[in-house]
Amino acid sequence: MRPAPPLLRLVGSIFAMSGGSLRAHRMRSLLTTLGVVVGVATVVAMASIIEGFNQTVKTSISSFGSHVIYIRKFRPGFYVGGFPDSLRHRHAFIPEDAEAIRRLCPDVAEVAIIAFTEGATVQYRGRSSSGLQVIGSDPQIQVVNVYDPGIGRFITSEEVQHRSQVIVIGRDIRDALFVRGENPIGRMVHLNGIPFRVIGELEPKGRSLFGNPDELVTIPYTTLDKYFPPPDNAPFYVPARGECYLNAVAVSPERNGAAVDQIIEVLRRRRGLRAGAPSNFEVFTEDALADLYNQLTGATYMVMILISSIALLVGGIGVMNIMLVAVTERTREIGLRKAVGARRVTVLLQFLIEAAALTGIGGLIGIGLGAGVAQLVRVLSKLPAHTPLWAVIVAFFFSVGVGLFFGLYPAVRASRLDPVEALRWE
Amino acid sequence: MLIHMRDLHRVYELGAEKVHALAGVDLDIERNEYVAIMGPSGSGKSTLMNIIGCLDTPTRGSYVLKEQEIGTLSDDELARIRNQEIGFVFQTFNLLARADALHNVELPLVYAGIRHEERRRRAREALELVGLGDRMKHRPNELSGGQRQRVAIARALVNKPSIILADEPTGNLDTATGEDIMASFERIWQQGNTVILVTHEADIAKHAHRAVRMRDGRIESDVRTPITTAARP
Ligand SMILES: Nc1ncnc2c1ncn2[C@@H]1O[C@H](COP(=O)(O)OP(=O)(O)O)[C@@H](O)[C@H]1O
Ligand SMILES: [Mg+2]
């Protein structure tokens, strides 16, 4: 008697058979996989969007310089139950704080002053751009945040001293206000109705999570204080009148930790805090922002995993159900296949592959849908959403896995059918 | 000896009740015999056929097929014997509705692990043998009853089995078509195959050269009619 053929040699034919029966029930198969489609589409779309965020964060960190030390009233983060009043009433800093840090912290290379206001409008000859963030700063910000004037120049110390009405604009603002090819340098624009002379344009930096540098205008902080003091109802994160935030940079990246310690020490002394008393301000580096960002994406991923797990579970149960129906409907076929020599494992594989093909196709549709949504987001918002290859691969194998998992029970049932009984099935 | 059965029993347990579908069958069948199994409904013909065809195993007794005791084999070994040694023809044809004639015929070769081109070639040959060379791409619902049964016969033949088993192959066909099918079996037998068929029609049974009559799970009579030399090629 000849030996049984190795299973591997049958796999091609088994695949062909599975495909045939799926084609025979196109609509039913498609509906069954809806859960898988939704689950996979969610994962792929969300992963694409998060990937987009990742990219902006990367560019924003590299464009701000990755070693900026932030000196703020409080740390950015999630405040469960609302922002606490104790933090809300904290004071920001004053220009003298910057002076003291510069003088007393050997590991700090430079300190810059940052104040800002929101919702400003800039106009030039009937054209305007509104909803802008206006930064009030000093020449040091160039070093600290690695700002490059692409054309023109940055603010000088004299202009800070004289509260000059000079403005450095971002590329997008230039595009909004000036016709193509027009040199903006030296032009008078109106910022909330007050005339400013354009002295420079920042090198384009692209999209960023923390405000787009191309959509900023920068003026001397003294000028900001004079013309645009924050209103009484300004949000809590805007520094009060006469106050500001500080950005610092260490002499070298290795000295970052030491610089942070020195800044904390100087500020505590200036605020007269006793040893052991908690600080009423925060000094942190980009790592803290990265932590915050990871917290954010981590939470998003959790939600995404939850949604898609539920969808995949629903899809999986749907597949199990439809496969059980298929096994019943095709009892005679199974009996016949066994009668002509199909082994248990061959029947099992046929139904398993069928289930996996079903969810695999659902997965592919989901991947297409998710990637489509991501493209839509990319076009409609400015987020550079982009579908990562790993998400496609993971999504595909996961959907196939769902089919294998939920298809196993029906396939085992099929493989265990008694051929005589199965052939008599009506 | 191709088939050697001694004191074969098959008992179905329906709750407390026991149905002795086979109650002690002794049967020997040689290579290239043409046997008709007859008997009233419920006498155990199908049960016997299923055991001969290794679709089912006896509750008790011995069944030796080609020097191999069948009762002790595993499911997979039985599947292999069905694939290599047995060709089934059923009353209800049992064709795959979605597949064309060619694919239906090729099915046993798929499970035999034979490669695609070889499979196609042999399936075509088998279909030509039963006179369906021009219907290979037709699906069962595009074929008449007689044509469907001929596809099933081609399927039974395609892997060159030791035994062709047919359980009431003409039961669903009109008399003329039935005669047609019987002519096919006649030809198959003449080519050196062993044919065992179940029927309760004497007209059909007379094609065979041996008639085994069953009653209540036992063999009642076993009559050989001499093979006329005219019937042999
Ligand atoms: N799966 C089964 N369960 C219980 N009884 C069965 C089963 N199959 C057959 N029988 C019984 O065994 C006996 C023989 O049946 P069968 O071999 O089908 O007879 P035949 O083919 O000669 O009409 C009958 O009494 C039938 O009811
Ligand atoms: Mg019967």
Side-chain angles (χ1 to χ4, degrees):
Chain A
M1 212 172 272
R2 288 162 287 163
L7 198 60
L8 215 62
R9 203 187 293 172
L10 304 186
V11 166
S13 319
I14 298 173
F15 260 100
M17 295 188 285
S18 303
S21 72
L22 287 184
R23 270 195 299 281
H25 297 286
R26 244 186 231 114
M27 197 59 204
R28 188 170 92 179
S29 310
L30 202 71
L31 289 175
T32 306
T33 60
L34 219 54
V36 176
V37 171
V38 170
V40 166
T42 312
V43 176
V44 171
M46 296 292 274
S48 310
I49 290 166
I50 289 175
E51 193 71 8
F53 275 118
N54 282 345
Q55 235 145 45
T56 39
V57 168
K58 256 184 240 150
T59 53
S60 83
I61 285 179
S62 57
S63 74
F64 283 125
S66 27
H67 304 294
V68 175
I69 298 166
Y70 298 88
I71 304 165
R72 297 288 186 272
K73 288 200 285 188
F74 51 82
R75 213 174 256 266
F78 297 118
Y79 293 94
V80 179
F83 191 71
D85 280 345
S86 55
L87 297 186
R88 196 186 296 270
H89 298 309
R90 279 181 174 182
H91 281 285
F93 308 91
I94 51 174
E96 286 73 26
D97 289 327
E99 204 48 54
I101 290 168
R102 212 168 278 139
R103 202 156 21 94
L104 299 170
C105 301
D107 283 316
V108 172
E110 197 53 272
V111 184
I113 288 168
I114 295 182
F116 61 91
T117 188
E118 295 175 323
T121 301
V122 62
Q123 285 175 304
Y124 176 71
R125 291 190 179 164
R127 291 164 165 249
S128 72
S129 175
S130 46
L132 302 179
Q133 199 176 25
V134 182
I135 304 285
S137 196
D138 58 10
Q140 284 75 21
I141 190 73
Q142 265 194 108
V143 180
V144 174
N145 275 17
V146 201
Y147 277 166
D148 276 327
I151 50 175
R153 59 174 178 82
F154 208 74
I155 299 160
T156 62
S157 319
E158 289 71 33
E159 286 164 340
V160 171
Q161 243 166 27
H162 296 121
R163 304 185 168 211
S164 303
Q165 285 157 249
V166 291
I167 189 166
V168 177
I169 61 176
R171 163 54 76 70
D172 290 357
I173 299 188
R174 193 236 287 203
D175 290 345
L177 295 186
F178 298 93
V179 294
R180 246 169 113 90
E182 185 177 5
N183 185 357
I185 307 300
R187 305 283 178 201
M188 293 302 282
V189 298
H190 285 81
L191 186 59
N192 285 358
I194 294 164
F196 277 80
R197 188 160 47 85
V198 178
I199 55 170
E201 179 193 299
L202 288 180
E203 202 55 70
K205 298 277 172 137
R207 296 160 182 180
S208 139
L209 188 63
F210 309 111
N212 185 344
D214 299 342
E215 291 175 349
L216 293 180
V217 297
T218 309
I219 61 176
Y221 74 88
T222 48
T223 317
L224 183 85
D225 191 57
K226 179 178 174 188
Y227 292 109
F228 312 116
D232 291 341
N233 62 351
F236 62 88
Y237 53 83
V238 177
R241 177 150 211 192
E243 293 184 355
C244 59
Y245 290 151
L246 304 175
N247 279 10
V249 68
V251 288
S252 71
E254 299 79 52
R255 303 303 300 162
N256 240 14
V260 167
D261 291 344
Q262 290 160 11
I263 293 167
I264 292 173
E265 195 44 46
V266 165
L267 289 174
R268 284 178 66 89
R269 237 184 297 145
R270 284 179 60 79
R271 292 185 171 205
L273 295 170
R274 285 174 211 283
S279 293
N280 52 7
F281 59 90
E282 293 282 348
V283 180
F284 54 92
T285 60
E286 213 117 81
D287 296 344
L289 290 182
D291 285 351
L292 167 70
Y293 176 73
N294 288 337
Q295 217 181 331
L296 198 95
T297 50
T300 315
Y301 267 112
M302 290 310 284
V303 170
M304 169 182 107
I305 287 168
L306 192 75
I307 293 174
S308 52
S309 309
I310 293 169
L312 284 177
L313 188 74
V314 170
I317 291 169
V319 167
M320 174 136 81
N321 181 48
I322 214 74
M323 290 311 294
L324 284 172
V325 170
V327 170
T328 308
E329 280 177 352
R330 286 155 63 190
T331 298
R332 280 180 84 96
E333 174 192 326
I334 295 163
L336 183 270
R337 287 183 185 277
K338 289 195 156 191
V340 300
R343 282 186 282 161
R344 274 189 180 186
V345 63
T346 321
V347 174
L348 183 112
L349 268 185
Q350 184 187 343
F351 281 87
L352 211 51
I353 288 172
E354 211 171 297
L358 202 61
T359 54
I361 289 167
L364 289 179
I365 297 172
I367 288 169
L369 214 65
V373 167
Q375 279 306 307
L376 212 66
V377 167
R378 190 191 176 89
V379 170
L380 296 184
S381 76
K382 287 180 173 178
L383 191 76
H386 127 98
T387 307
L389 186 64
W390 67 261
V392 171
I393 292 170
V394 166
F396 180 70
F397 281 99
F398 219 86
S399 35
V400 169
V402 164
L404 292 177
F405 182 80
F406 288 95
L408 188 62
Y409 173 65
V412 166
R413 282 253 299 239
S415 75
R416 293 216 176 131
L417 283 176
D418 175 67
V420 174
E421 298 283 321
L423 279 166
R424 285 207 313 209
W425 185 267
E426 294 301 331
Chain B
M1 189 75 66
L2 185 61
I3 291 171
H4 178 77
M5 287 179 159
R6 282 299 171 270
D7 195 30
L8 207 72
H9 292 255
R10 180 67 170 92
V11 183
Y12 291 107
E13 306 208 9
L14 293 170
E17 196 193 346
K18 289 186 174 176
V19 180
H20 285 257
L22 295 180
V25 169
D26 297 329
L27 183 65
D28 291 329
I29 294 174
E30 303 275 358
R31 220 172 269 284
N32 199 21
E33 281 198 83
Y34 189 172
V35 184
I37 298 178
M38 304 184 67
S41 178
S43 57
K45 307 182 293 294
S46 293
T47 306
L48 181 62
M49 288 295 263
N50 290 340
I51 289 177
I52 294 174
C54 298
L55 278 174
D56 194 8
T57 47
T59 314
R60 184 147 62 81
S62 159
Y63 169 30
V64 177
L65 171 66
K66 287 177 86 176
E67 276 80 56
Q68 184 158 30
E69 177 57 56
I70 296 300
T72 56
L73 296 182
S74 70
D75 266 15
D76 280 357
E77 287 167 320
L78 291 175
R80 195 186 64 205
I81 293 176
R82 291 197 292 269
N83 183 247
Q84 295 176 355
E85 306 295 343
I86 311 290
F88 273 107
V89 179
F90 304 93
Q91 181 177 353
T92 51
F93 321 136
N94 279 320
L95 300 176
L96 300 185
R98 287 177 279 104
D100 60 21
L102 197 61
H103 184 72
N104 266 294
V105 172
E106 127 187 280
L107 203 58
L109 303 179
V110 169
Y111 294 115
I114 289 167
R115 291 186 197 291
H116 186 259
E117 301 78 46
E118 168 87 355
R119 251 166 30 208
R120 288 274 138 146
R121 189 180 61 72
R122 282 169 64 176
R124 255 185 232 115
E125 265 176 29
L127 276 168
E128 270 155 16
L129 203 75
V130 296
L132 287 177
D134 55 344
R135 293 285 188 279
M136 303 209 200
K137 289 290 165 196
H138 291 239
R139 290 183 178 202
N141 62 1
E142 298 160 342
L143 297 170
S144 71
Q147 287 172 329
R148 286 183 211 183
Q149 194 59 301
R150 279 191 278 157
V151 172
I153 291 172
R155 180 179 64 194
L157 285 172
V158 76
N159 203 19
K160 309 210 180 320
S162 306
I163 313 168
I164 304 289
L165 293 175
D167 194 345
E168 306 200 31
T170 60
N172 276 10
L173 303 173
D174 60 63
T175 316
T177 317
E179 282 298 327
D180 234 33
I181 293 299
M182 291 318 295
S184 295
F185 282 115
E186 182 97 31
R187 216 167 330 113
I188 290 163
W189 165 67
Q190 283 172 352
Q191 283 164 357
N193 287 292
T194 310
V195 177
I196 305 174
L197 65 86
V198 167
T199 180
H200 44 236
E201 295 171 57
D203 282 354
I204 298 292
K206 73 171 191 292
H207 289 271
H209 70 253
R210 180 176 170 191
V212 175
R213 283 185 180 279
M214 296 192 67
R215 183 174 292 278
D216 298 334
R218 289 193 179 80
I219 292 177
E220 189 184 48
S221 72
D222 186 346
V223 183
R224 288 160 200 270
T225 46
I227 306 163
T228 55
T229 41
R232 304 238 68 172

